[in-house]
Amino acid sequence: KSKFLANISHEIRTPINGMFGVLNILSKTALNKEQINLLQMGRFCTETLLRTVNDVLDFSKLESRQLQLKEIGFSPVQLLKESYAYGLLISDEQPITIELQIDKLIDVPLLGDQTRLRQIIDNLISNAVKFTDHGNIIIGATITPEDNCYKLTCWVKDPGEGISEADLKRLFQPFVQIEDSYTKTRSGTGLGLALCKELIALMQGDIHMESTEGVGTEVLFSVTLPLAEVIASEEPETLQIDLPLLQHANILFVEDNPINQEITIVQLQHYGITMTVMNNGKECVDHLLTNDLQYDVILMDIQMPIMNGYEASQAIRRGEAGTNNANIPIIALTAHVSLEEQQKALQAGMNKHINKPIVPELLLKAIYDCIQTHDDVKHGGDTI
């Protein structure tokens, strides 16, 4: 089942990468107001599709106990404000108001997985908006000291249609939806609440729901977290790279999907960067073996015909593409996003792992880091 989900994830993420790429390229062109609106709609739909894929993968990881929580310092007030902004965004065109109740939320730096907490709160907000036709949705949180730690309690309360007592008992089960028929009016996988329950259990917290049909629903959860020494910077990092260095670098791009080839090429051309393209691992190895050009970095897809990315990387590291090419930095560009696949990439001799959909700035940073590290190693070797 895990292998099946990994393959399905790859097959869906590959076209999503293409969709994100096309929309990103379009956003950099001259557009009128109507076209900008259509572009934003396309982005929203693509992000929704990616979130659905991620939910399925996350549930699979939780089931197989492969999901690992991060411990990073964060601001609980900032966390709630971000989820509040998300609520405003998804309820924008509905007769719904969103209220944020954080007056009693002490903003102490907490140590935990902010991304997963945000995922939980956003899931609850999404459900509240989905099942509320009008009225005021309340998002709130408090913090109380507990055993040298702090108990963070969050809730989402809506005046929606409510849920029967019988259905309440089933809701935290995976793939269960109240409207489970072909005539249902609301979409979804039925994984949201199950994911929330599993993530909170992983954090050793509690979650429960109270609901009355025709009155509304309130979901409340709490997790106990230690104090953090510092809050991780929320500011986006400035892209600190030597762009002329990348513009003069020899880059080999190995990818079998023509759409992803073209999109990645155009994305990097925007920064004045060009690449040589190969269609599979064997082409890459043969090209390196028969070509005198010394490449600075290889961008390698994983799932390809004839010879996949793992096999090609292993062949290069064994010297089968020429001993002078055995240490070229290799960056995996792949729709395989599981921790297991990332470990396999490193074991195959790859230096970095970039997930699809590709963020061009992250790719540029990875290329720059690889070239810099490789140059440092070469110069260090010459000195010794």
Side-chain angles (χ1 to χ4, degrees):
K1 183 173 69 173
S2 296
K3 183 66 176 174
F4 170 76
L5 286 172
N7 287 336
I8 287 294
S9 165
H10 180 276
E11 294 305 315
I12 298 175
R13 276 178 174 271
T14 297
I16 290 177
N17 181 58
M19 291 152 64
F20 266 117
V22 167
L23 294 171
N24 184 47
I25 292 164
L26 281 175
S27 70
K28 292 180 171 63
T29 64
L31 302 172
N32 60 38
K33 189 174 181 181
E34 182 183 0
Q35 290 169 329
I36 291 171
N37 184 49
L38 290 170
L39 180 70
Q40 290 172 339
M41 289 168 61
R43 274 183 168 163
F44 178 80
C45 292
T46 307
E47 286 168 1
T48 302
L49 176 59
L50 183 59
R51 193 176 298 117
T52 301
V53 175
N54 287 340
D55 278 355
V56 174
L57 273 179
D58 283 347
F59 188 77
S60 173
K61 288 178 186 176
L62 283 164
E63 234 186 0
S64 58
R65 300 184 180 181
Q66 288 185 338
L67 193 144
Q68 296 180 342
L69 296 175
K70 296 178 181 177
E71 290 192 341
I72 300 172
F74 70 93
S75 157
V77 168
Q78 184 62 30
L79 171 70
L80 268 292
K81 284 182 177 179
E82 288 174 2
S83 286
Y84 171 64
Y86 169 74
L88 292 176
L89 177 67
I90 64 172
S91 64
D92 185 43
E93 296 182 1
Q94 296 176 246
I96 295 173
T97 56
I98 309 285
E99 180 183 345
L100 183 61
Q101 293 182 346
I102 55 171
D103 296 342
K104 297 179 181 179
L105 179 61
I106 306 167
D107 197 22
V108 294
L110 297 179
L111 189 66
D113 197 325
Q114 178 182 5
T115 302
R116 295 302 180 183
L117 285 168
R118 173 79 192 276
Q119 183 180 5
I120 293 165
I121 300 170
D122 287 359
N123 252 316
L124 299 181
I125 294 171
S126 179
N127 274 350
V129 171
K130 190 186 297 184
F131 291 97
T132 302
D133 295 325
H134 62 276
N136 185 46
I137 294 173
I138 298 171
I139 306 164
T142 60
I143 281 182
T144 52
E146 187 174 282
D147 298 330
N148 298 321
C149 291
Y150 289 87
K151 186 176 183 179
L152 173 65
T153 301
C154 304
W155 63 86
V156 177
K157 186 175 182 179
D158 69 70
E161 58 195 55
I163 304 162
S164 71
E165 191 173 339
D167 286 331
L168 268 177
K169 296 175 182 178
R170 301 188 305 121
L171 262 187
F172 286 100
Q173 297 173 20
F175 309 109
V176 169
Q177 292 175 287
I178 298 305
E179 292 182 298
D180 199 8
S181 70
Y182 292 112
T183 58
K184 67 181 181 181
T185 57
R186 299 171 178 88
S187 61
T189 58
L191 276 178
L193 287 176
L195 266 175
C196 291
K197 180 183 177 182
E198 294 293 334
L199 285 170
I200 290 165
L202 195 60
M203 297 178 189
Q204 298 182 326
D206 298 298
I207 183 169
H208 74 271
M209 177 187 289
E210 293 180 0
S211 186
T212 304
E213 285 187 277
V215 177
T217 302
E218 180 176 20
V219 185
L220 183 145
F221 74 88
S222 60
V223 292
T224 302
L225 301 169
L227 193 67
E229 292 183 7
V230 293
I231 293 175
S233 174
E234 294 291 327
E235 294 297 318
E237 289 186 21
T238 305
L239 191 60
Q240 296 180 340
I241 60 171
D242 181 355
L243 195 54
L245 174 70
L246 300 191
Q247 290 168 341
H248 290 94
N250 294 319
I251 301 173
L252 187 59
F253 179 34
V254 190
E255 165 69 66
D256 66 305
N257 186 290
I259 294 175
N260 283 339
Q261 282 182 4
E262 186 171 350
I263 286 168
T264 307
I265 288 168
V266 173
Q267 285 177 327
L268 294 192
Q269 277 179 346
H270 177 75
Y271 295 93
I273 298 169
T274 58
M275 301 183 290
T276 301
V277 182
M278 297 289 123
N279 295 300
N280 59 63
K282 188 171 190 310
E283 276 191 22
C284 168
V285 172
D286 291 346
H287 176 76
L288 290 171
L289 194 58
T290 57
N291 196 291
D292 293 332
L293 182 63
Q294 185 66 43
Y295 286 97
D296 298 291
V297 67
I298 300 172
L299 310 182
M300 183 82 74
D301 186 28
I302 296 295
Q303 189 166 311
M304 294 181 290
I306 305 175
M307 181 183 283
N308 65 42
Y310 295 140
E311 294 166 344
S313 298
Q314 289 166 342
I316 292 167
R317 294 295 180 243
R318 289 194 299 263
E320 294 175 19
T323 53
N324 58 320
N325 293 317
N327 296 313
I328 298 176
I330 303 173
I331 300 173
L333 301 185
T334 174
H336 289 291
V337 298
S338 71
L339 180 62
E340 181 187 1
E341 293 294 340
Q342 292 180 40
Q343 291 170 340
K344 283 174 67 176
L346 295 175
Q347 289 166 1
M350 296 178 168
N351 301 78
K352 286 185 179 290
H353 185 280
I354 300 290
N355 293 340
K356 294 177 181 177
I358 292 166
V359 178
E361 292 76 14
L362 292 180
L363 178 56
L364 289 177
K365 183 70 167 58
I367 295 171
Y368 178 71
D369 288 347
C370 279
I371 292 175
Q372 284 287 91
T373 303
H374 190 55
D375 285 347
D376 288 346
V377 170
K378 285 196 299 183
H379 294 153
D382 291 342
T383 303
I384 291 168

